[in-house]
């Protein structure tokens, strides 16, 4: 596949995948954004990480709660599988709402500003998460309880639709030359850190309150603690500057700086589908397998292991937590390597490894041994880091500046929706027909193979000029 040009604007040349050129002219050398100092770029990356960690903490708290208590609390049934399916269905509902968040926040981010979109998305997530912590259960409110739960879960999904793309994009567009993947990968560690933070709250709460008290009322504590985290996150995000690349894009200066929508691309998603459909769909496929690995390990297996295989809940939480920590530790080194040798070599290595390791990883569940499961999950989530660390720069680099928020968000969020959001539901159905954890490996390995093929079809983007 041909590589993206390094010295011309992406939107002024033919797309290697979608050959129709964009109508937007290239920026002149004098209009290119002036890169901020490294210290300022680091602050922006750190602020993006804080916000993304909080958003994914909220999301992970719900995912863990759906595996542990939300089924019986909001969808009581004599059949435990039915309750679990109902709880995981609400988990998947948020993923159905994510595309709406892509449209909403992508439009705001591409027309008004990256930072404004991120502040609003964090506020929405905080309101929804705290609301879940205050909800009455089915025993108290009847059918109203699950209706309210689904409503708040949908709001969480809308919020997440705009979070990832905006956070990594703001960090990447502030990054010094040659370090784009590194800076973009900082907020990309947010999902794993959010899960670790949720576990650090849920596990002590579960142990201190006891299983019965946790199921009865203490499950609300992690949700309500989100109030403090969101306040901190909002304060951090309102102190950072807007993207210099966004501010220098044609049609946006000085309107963007004044907060006024600019002319052109009134509906960025429509423009994206018309001009760059090939990159969008291949970008979705490239992130599909990693999404399945992430959500099956940190959401589904927390329920599947204890309920179907008799594995202690703490064993599953420890395995997922240690694996996530290993993935976080590898995130920055993998991104730095991607800045040196290219995005595709690192991501392809992770994809090949994930295809080969998927079956052994989930086969470890049959042992029930904490060391075997933790070791298998650690390897699997480190391979995931190789796939997902460079993707924070890779997906934005596929699209021109005026469509970049929408393009990166749509590719990643739709991959999360199809590869991750429905993974617990699909896995529950598969295990109801084939009672073996090996089926999880074949399912995950198949999606990782699809990601591998999509990565092979996409070009290298490391040398692409990002200012346009």
């Amino acid at each position: 596949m041909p590589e993206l040009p390094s010295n011309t604007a992406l939107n002024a040349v033919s797309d290697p995948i979608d050959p129709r050129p964009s109508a937007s002219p290239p920026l002149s050398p004098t209009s290119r954004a002036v890169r901020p100092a490294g210290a300022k770029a680091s602050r922006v990356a750190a602020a993006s990480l804080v916000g993304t960690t909080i958003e994914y903490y909220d999301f992970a708290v719900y995912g863990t709660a759906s595996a542990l208590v939300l089924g019986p609390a909001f969808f009581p049934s004599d059949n435990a599988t039915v309750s679990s399916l109902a709880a995981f269905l609400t988990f998947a509902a948020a993923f159905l709402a994510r595309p709406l968040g892509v449209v909403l926040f992508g439009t705001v981010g591409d027309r008004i500003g990256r930072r404004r979109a991120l502040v609003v998305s964090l506020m929405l997530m905080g309101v929804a998460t705290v609301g879940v912590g205050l909800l009455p259960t089915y025993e108290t409110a009847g059918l109203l309880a699950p209706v309210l739960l689904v409503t708040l879960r949908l709001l969480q999904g809308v919020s997440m639709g705009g979070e990832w793309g905006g956070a990594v994009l703001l960090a990447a567009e502030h990054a010094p030359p040659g370090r784009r993947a590194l800076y973009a990968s900082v907020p990309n560690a947010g999902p794993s850190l959010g899960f670790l933070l949720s576990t650090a709250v849920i596990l002590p709460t579960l142990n201190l309150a006891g299983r019965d008290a946790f199921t009865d009322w203490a499950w609300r504590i992690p949700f309500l603690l989100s109030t403090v985290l969101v306040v901190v996150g909002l304060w951090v995000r309102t102190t950072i500057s807007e993207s210099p690349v966004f501010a220098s894009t044609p049609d946006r200066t000085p309107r963007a700086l004044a907060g006024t929508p600019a002319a052109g691309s009134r509906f960025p998603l429509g423009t994206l589908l018309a001009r760059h459909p090939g990159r969008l769909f291949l970008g979705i496929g490239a992130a599909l397998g990693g999404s399945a690995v992430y959500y099956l390990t940190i959401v589904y297996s927390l329920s599947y292991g204890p309920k179907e295989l008799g594995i202690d809940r703490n064993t599953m939480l420890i395995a997922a937590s240690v694996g996530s920590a290993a993935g976080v530790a590898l995130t920055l080194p993998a991104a730095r390597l991607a800045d040196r040798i290219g995005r595709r070599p690192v991501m392809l290595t992770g994809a090949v490894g994930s295809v080969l390791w998927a079956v052994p990883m989930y086969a470890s569940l049959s042992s029930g041994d904490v060391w075997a499961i933790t070791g298998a999950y650690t390897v699997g989530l480190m391979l995931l880091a190789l796939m997902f660390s460079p993707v924070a720069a890779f997906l934005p680099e596929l699209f021109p500046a005026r469509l970049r928020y929408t393009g990166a968000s749509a590719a990643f969020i739709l991959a999360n929706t199809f590869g991750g959001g429905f993974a617990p539901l699909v896995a529950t159905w598969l295990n109801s027909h084939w009672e073996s954890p090996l089926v999880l490996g074949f399912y995950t390995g198949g999606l990782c193979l699809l990601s591998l093929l999509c990565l092979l079809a996409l070009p290298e983007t490391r040398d692409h000029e990002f200012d346009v």
Side-chain angles (χ1 to χ4, degrees):
M1 297 299 294
E3 292 192 1
L4 290 171
S6 60
N7 58 349
T8 56
L10 176 60
N11 55 351
V13 298
S14 295
D15 190 320
I17 297 170
D18 184 3
R20 289 169 291 178
S22 170
S24 301
L27 288 174
S28 65
T30 57
S31 65
R32 296 189 188 279
V34 176
R35 291 293 185 186
K40 181 178 180 182
S42 298
R43 287 197 299 271
V44 171
S48 296
L49 173 63
V50 170
T52 303
T53 299
I54 293 169
E55 288 247 12
Y56 274 90
Y57 163 84
D58 292 345
F59 217 70
V61 162
Y62 189 97
T64 304
S66 68
L68 299 179
V69 299
L70 293 187
F74 289 89
F75 306 97
S77 171
D78 293 334
N79 189 322
T81 301
V82 171
S83 292
S84 294
L85 278 171
F88 284 135
L89 187 60
T90 66
F91 182 79
F95 288 83
L96 292 176
R98 282 186 174 194
L100 177 59
V102 170
V103 175
L104 174 63
F105 292 108
T107 301
V108 173
D110 280 328
R111 296 191 66 214
I112 297 178
R114 319 317 196 188
R115 189 172 67 98
R116 289 171 183 258
L118 287 172
V119 169
V120 176
S121 72
L122 184 58
M123 290 178 62
L124 182 60
M125 176 63 82
V127 169
T129 303
V130 174
V132 172
L134 297 173
L135 281 181
T137 63
Y138 184 90
E139 183 180 2
T140 303
L143 288 175
L144 179 62
V147 169
L148 291 175
L149 180 67
V150 171
T151 300
L152 292 174
R153 183 62 178 162
L154 291 174
L155 291 179
Q156 280 191 324
V158 171
S159 170
M160 289 300 297
E163 170 60 31
W164 183 88
V168 301
L169 186 53
L170 196 62
E173 290 185 337
H174 277 87
R179 292 176 173 261
R180 192 184 306 143
L182 177 64
Y183 279 77
S185 72
V186 173
N188 205 32
S192 293
L193 288 176
F195 170 71
L196 289 172
L197 182 59
S198 72
T199 303
V201 173
I202 289 175
L203 195 56
T205 303
L206 177 62
N207 290 334
L208 291 174
R211 194 175 303 276
D212 292 339
F214 185 84
T215 302
D216 186 32
W217 59 269
W219 63 269
R220 301 176 184 274
I221 293 175
F223 288 93
L224 298 178
L225 283 177
S226 180
T227 304
V228 177
L229 298 176
V230 169
V231 170
V232 173
L234 288 174
W235 174 76
V236 170
R237 280 198 167 167
T238 54
T239 62
I240 59 176
S241 60
E242 181 55 84
S243 160
V245 176
F246 174 84
S248 68
T249 304
D251 298 336
R252 290 193 169 84
T253 303
R255 291 183 180 184
L257 298 178
T260 304
S265 298
R266 291 185 178 276
F267 187 52
L269 183 60
T271 306
L272 179 71
L273 290 170
R275 295 183 179 175
H276 306 284
R279 289 189 178 180
L280 175 60
F281 289 114
L282 287 174
I284 293 169
L288 201 66
S291 297
V293 173
Y294 181 81
Y295 284 101
L296 285 178
T297 53
I298 73 163
V299 175
Y300 176 73
S301 65
L302 298 184
S303 171
Y304 172 72
K307 289 182 179 180
E308 302 298 329
L309 302 177
I311 302 172
D312 184 74
R313 291 186 190 276
N314 286 355
T315 295
M316 297 308 306
L317 285 170
I318 290 170
S321 299
V322 172
S324 295
V328 170
L330 189 59
T331 295
L332 295 185
R336 192 69 189 106
L337 184 62
D339 277 327
R340 291 174 179 168
I341 68 173
R343 290 42 166 141
R344 291 174 76 250
V346 179
M347 296 170 68
L348 287 170
T349 300
V352 171
S354 295
V355 171
L356 298 176
W357 188 247
V359 171
M361 178 169 65
Y362 293 110
S364 70
L365 295 175
S366 297
S367 71
D369 181 72
V370 62
W371 296 106
I373 298 171
T374 300
Y377 273 32
T378 298
V379 173
L381 290 173
M382 290 178 73
L383 291 170
L384 173 63
L386 293 179
M387 292 179 67
F388 263 16
S389 179
V391 86
F394 182 69
L395 292 180
E397 287 166 347
L398 292 175
F399 306 102
R402 64 183 60 201
L403 301 174
R404 194 168 287 147
Y405 197 125
T406 301
S409 295
F412 188 80
I413 293 305
L414 290 175
N416 263 223
T417 299
F418 296 115
F422 290 99
L425 275 176
V426 173
T428 300
W429 181 84
L430 288 173
N431 277 295
S432 69
H433 290 76
W434 296 277
E435 297 180 358
S436 169
L438 292 179
V439 72
L440 301 179
F442 290 117
Y443 170 57
T444 306
L447 291 180
C448 289
L449 179 60
L450 178 60
S451 291
L452 174 62
L453 296 175
C454 289
L455 285 169
L456 289 172
L458 284 165
E460 178 57 65
T461 61
R462 180 188 59 155
D463 295 327
H464 163 53
E465 177 56 61
F466 205 40
D467 287 343
V468 292

